[in-house]
Amino acid sequence: MQEHIVQEAPKKKKSIWRFLKRLILTLVISVVSIVGISVSLVFIYEEEVVSLIIKELNKHLKTEIRIDPKNIDLTIIQSFPNCAIEFKELTAMDAEGFKTSDTLLQAKSLSLAFNIKDLFNKNYTIKKISLKDANCHLKVDKKGNANYLVWKSDTTSTESTSLKFALENISLSNVELTYKNNKHKIKLNTSIKELHFKGKFNDDQYTLISDGNAYVDLFQVENVKYLNNKKLKFDIVFDVNGSNYAIQKSETSINETQIVSNGAFVIKDSLQSLDINFNGKNLDISTTLSLLPEKFQNQIHDYESDGEFYASGECHYKSGTPIVIKSDFGIKKATITYKEKNTTLNNVNLIGNIILNENRSTLTLKNISANLNNNTFTGDMELTNFKDPYLKLKLAANTKLEELIAFYPIDTLENLSGAINVNAEIEGLISEMKSNAYSPSIKSNGNAVINDLKATFKQTDKVINIPEGKLELNNRHLNVYNLKLIKGNSDVMLVGELPNFLSYLFDSKEPLTIVAQVTSDKIELEDFLFGAGKSSETSSINIPANLDINVSVNVQHLTFSKFVADNIKGIMLLRNQKVALKDLSLNVTDGEVKLNAFADASGENIKVSGDCELNKLNVQKLFTQLNNFGQTTIQDANLKGFVTTSIDFTGAWDKKLNVDLGSINVTSSILIERGELIGFKPLESLAKYIDVNELKHIKFSTLQSAVEIKNKVITIPRTSIKSNAINLELWGKHGFDNVIDYHIQLLLSEILAKKPRANKDFDEELSLVENDPENRRSVFIVMTGPIDNPIIKYDRKGAKEKIKQDIKQEKQNLKQLLKEEFGFFKKDSIKVKETQKANQNFQIQVGEEKPKANKPLQPKKKEEDEDDF
């Protein structure tokens, strides 16, 4: 029995093996035969098939095709079991009737596949199209005309056609596709790696299966970029009924973000309508944020995030109207890390909603919360109309600024520390917030408490310190209570309004508007005027263009370089680098000043104008503190006394406070009390000729005059000087180049008292005939030339003017006498001052009958010469 079983098994195996060998051999022979027959048929019918298909294509195409005939082949090897006509190095132009005639398609290979049995019946039905290594440029103009409608769906010919399309498969490989729709403002640039469509496209109803992957360079609707540099992969199934497509299955991946969709759309020549619902799947923050438009991508480039993100929504579109997108999304327990400093924002949560349509674009964020070490943030936000955003913001934050700046650095700040606790609600146009903080469209409420805030901007080494302060938002105004600011050696207390102080603090280019009362114990103006923390000697004045100030000032002590002032009160206005001081009073150099002034620093120079009243200022201290007003004619070492004056002035300085002397214009009336003139060069020169050594140090009780400065010349009107040394009258001009033209009138009695007879040249010009009981006869001297070495001469012109005045006066006296004694000139309305005539015979002899030429007076001779006189 065992032997029988062993013998039967080998026969069965052998029989099965022989059957398989025969079957395989039969199949191979059949396939080879079919392939051989097919190849033979291709060679036999190639010329006929190619000619017929091209003829039929030309009947239906509305475009120019450019191809070398040798690049048209009939093949079966690559398309087996189908036969295919392949066009190599093909170029197709825009459809006929389109406004341009540019390239529509440029391809290395375009294949049209049909069943091999069509070779026998000579009726060719194209079932598959394959496009490889191509560039395709699809366009729609503003009127809706498309450049890709190249196929005539019906022909006018009644003849039966030998070429039909019953497409069941379309495949694209390595295709660069651009689509530009000017009518609906849609742009698409994409690189298609693989794309397949399967279905019986000629049927009215069929199932369309599609899958593929591509790289989307740009997908833009209107001016909004929805996809930019993204990887796209999809697997979809549609139920097609004519032009209507219902989604049976849709799984799409954009980068690593997966979206599951359902809905429907209509496509004819172009997309007619779209109604899609979508839901995010396996989302995370990093991949989702990568889908944001480019302008937002640039802002988050230095950040990475992790956590759960969810999103769902819907998308609607109808031809002729903008796309509509609605989406609900949110973040749960996320982290956002600033990569450069490894600073992490933890426990980030929010609920969001976005709506984009023709009439409204809105982004809503609710229940926002996050922690950053000791910082906590909560709030809600709504942003509408993305073209001109309208913001509604509710925010509560307890912040440690040194931690905040480590997470979100600010380019203009070097260091920031301190704490701000904020509770605020703001509503209004963002554009209005930037340009007009007082706009009635802006609503704001809230408060902020500042503690020990310290900020250092990158272009200065001086720290801004705010030890304390409270800010309260109320109906568009930011009210400031006891905001103390310390910068350098200066301290300022503000009570008032700062509409945008926080924006300025975080961005020094933002406007800083101050409407306040300013009090201070001490201010050094260099702390605020000079840039880069440098001294006034090496730096330029830099009034920020974004400062807008209207403050009432009460400063106990102020310094600027050498200048010192106390008890400063008044109003200061600053806008567009222009400063106005109104009703300003201050104590300066032991006296009081009242000032109205205007300074324009908006140009290359600082233009100053104003008027002021000085009451009993210490002249020497004033000249010292104001650097002698930029001149060297008369300096602090030459002066003592107390000045009272009214001054109108204009002038210009450069940004380093170097004066433009030609721009100085001053008119003034001056009263000097308890004055001293020390070492004044012109008077010292005069002492050489008339032996008045006291002129080196003159003391006088009062001096009153009016001085004008214009075109670099100081003009002094006739001024009486009564001093310990000599009494005289002085007038003339003094140039800023120290060239003088002084005229001096001395009483002869003064000259005689000082014993001038040692100067014989001087005596030749003078001749005393009789006594002068009223001391009314004078000698005139002119001093011209450089102040260090003036030319001193007898002033004939001054003498003649004096004689004319005396003659005129004598005429009036005679007229008055005749009127009184004899009744003459009764109709003469001129009243002459009554004077008592002295019985005198006094004459000044000026040279010979033909006067000698004027020659400079000579210095005194030595004592032995004086004895000979």
Side-chain angles (χ1 to χ4, degrees), residues 560-563 589 618-640 653 657-661 664 666 677-678 680 709 714 734-736 738:
F560 180 51
S561 187
K562 298 177 183 179
F563 180 75
T589 64
N618 187 310
V619 177
Q620 190 173 57
K621 290 182 179 179
L622 183 65
F623 271 65
T624 300
Q625 292 183 11
L626 297 180
N627 294 316
N628 295 304
F629 298 94
Q631 52 82 44
T632 58
T633 301
I634 183 167
Q635 300 191 10
D636 52 352
N638 304 123
L639 293 170
K640 285 185 180 180
W653 282 256
L657 293 184
N658 298 312
V659 65
D660 176 8
L661 297 176
I664 299 297
V666 177
L677 191 59
I678 306 168
F680 188 46
I709 302 176
I714 303 171
H734 193 132
F736 283 8
N738 279 330

Side-chain angles (χ1 to χ4, degrees), residues 18-54:
R18 286 178 179 176
F19 174 76
L20 291 174
K21 286 198 299 182
R22 289 174 183 174
L23 179 61
I24 293 169
L25 181 60
T26 301
L27 291 173
V28 170
I29 293 172
S30 298
V31 171
V32 171
S33 299
I34 292 171
V35 172
I37 294 170
S38 300
V39 172
S40 299
L41 288 172
V42 167
F43 279 107
I44 293 170
Y45 291 102
E46 179 176 14
E47 185 175 346
E48 179 182 347
V49 171
V50 169
S51 177
L52 190 148
I53 290 177
I54 290 176

Side-chain angles (χ1 to χ4, degrees), residues 25-270:
L25 181 60
T26 301
L27 291 173
V28 170
I29 293 172
S30 298
V31 171
V32 171
S33 299
I34 292 171
V35 172
I37 294 170
S38 300
V39 172
S40 299
L41 288 172
V42 167
F43 279 107
I44 293 170
Y45 291 102
E46 179 176 14
E47 185 175 346
E48 179 182 347
V49 171
V50 169
S51 177
L52 190 148
I53 290 177
I54 290 176
K55 180 180 178 181
E56 293 296 327
L57 286 174
N58 286 332
K59 289 181 181 180
H60 292 80
L61 288 174
K62 299 189 297 182
T63 182
E64 178 187 356
I65 304 294
R66 299 174 182 175
I67 188 171
D68 192 330
K70 68 181 181 181
N71 289 331
I72 304 175
D73 295 324
L74 187 66
T75 179
I76 192 173
I77 301 299
Q78 296 177 359
S79 58
F80 188 83
N82 293 318
C83 187
I85 182 170
E86 182 179 13
F87 301 90
K88 298 177 181 178
E89 304 298 335
L90 169 74
T91 299
M93 308 304 290
D94 290 339
E96 294 177 2
F98 194 71
K99 64 178 183 178
T100 63
S101 183
D102 292 333
T103 301
L104 168 64
L105 175 68
Q106 194 171 35
K108 288 188 175 181
S109 174
L110 173 64
S111 297
L112 307 178
F114 53 89
N115 197 305
I116 195 170
K117 68 181 182 180
D118 293 349
L119 292 172
F120 297 99
N121 56 35
K122 298 184 180 181
N123 289 315
Y124 304 100
T125 302
I126 305 299
K127 293 187 176 181
K128 181 179 180 181
I129 295 178
S130 177
L131 181 67
K132 296 180 180 179
D133 301 325
N135 288 285
C136 187
H137 307 283
L138 309 181
K139 302 174 187 175
V140 178
D141 64 21
K142 292 181 179 180
K143 296 181 179 179
N145 302 314
N147 74 331
Y148 50 84
L149 300 179
V150 299
W151 189 257
K152 299 176 185 178
S153 57
D154 294 314
T155 65
T156 57
S157 175
T158 58
E159 298 179 2
S160 60
T161 178
S162 299
L163 179 65
K164 298 179 181 178
F165 281 84
L167 290 175
E168 296 179 357
N169 193 317
I170 299 175
S171 66
L172 287 75
S173 178
N174 296 326
V175 176
E176 298 290 332
L177 175 66
T178 65
Y179 174 70
K180 186 175 182 180
N181 189 323
N182 286 323
K183 183 176 182 180
H184 302 304
K185 298 181 180 179
I186 299 173
K187 289 183 182 179
L188 173 66
N189 298 331
T190 181
S191 300
I192 300 172
K193 192 172 183 180
E194 293 288 342
L195 179 60
H196 304 282
F197 297 96
K198 296 178 181 179
K200 295 185 178 181
F201 305 130
N202 273 29
D203 294 348
D204 287 336
Q205 295 183 1
Y206 63 94
T207 299
L208 171 62
I209 301 172
S210 180
D211 64 85
N213 63 83
Y215 186 83
V216 180
D217 296 295
L218 174 67
F219 174 56
Q220 178 176 313
V221 181
E222 296 287 340
N223 292 321
V224 180
K225 296 179 181 178
Y226 291 95
L227 293 177
N228 190 31
N229 299 326
K230 303 294 185 294
K231 294 178 182 179
L232 178 66
K233 186 177 182 180
F234 61 89
D235 184 3
I236 54 178
V237 178
F238 299 125
D239 289 330
V240 182
N241 186 357
S243 300
N244 299 312
Y245 295 76
I247 299 175
Q248 190 182 107
K249 172 189 176 183
S250 176
E251 294 182 357
T252 305
S253 297
I254 304 175
N255 284 357
E256 301 301 324
T257 300
Q258 298 181 13
I259 300 175
V260 178
S261 306
N262 60 74
F265 56 92
V266 177
I267 293 182
K268 292 183 180 178
D269 295 335
S270 60

Side-chain angles (χ1 to χ4, degrees), residues 403-428:
E403 296 176 356
L404 184 62
I405 198 174
F407 176 77
Y408 187 77
I410 300 169
D411 291 339
T412 57
L413 283 176
E414 186 72 35
N415 293 298
L416 182 67
S417 64
I420 299 180
N421 298 329
V422 179
N423 287 280
E425 295 181 14
I426 301 174
E427 180 178 345

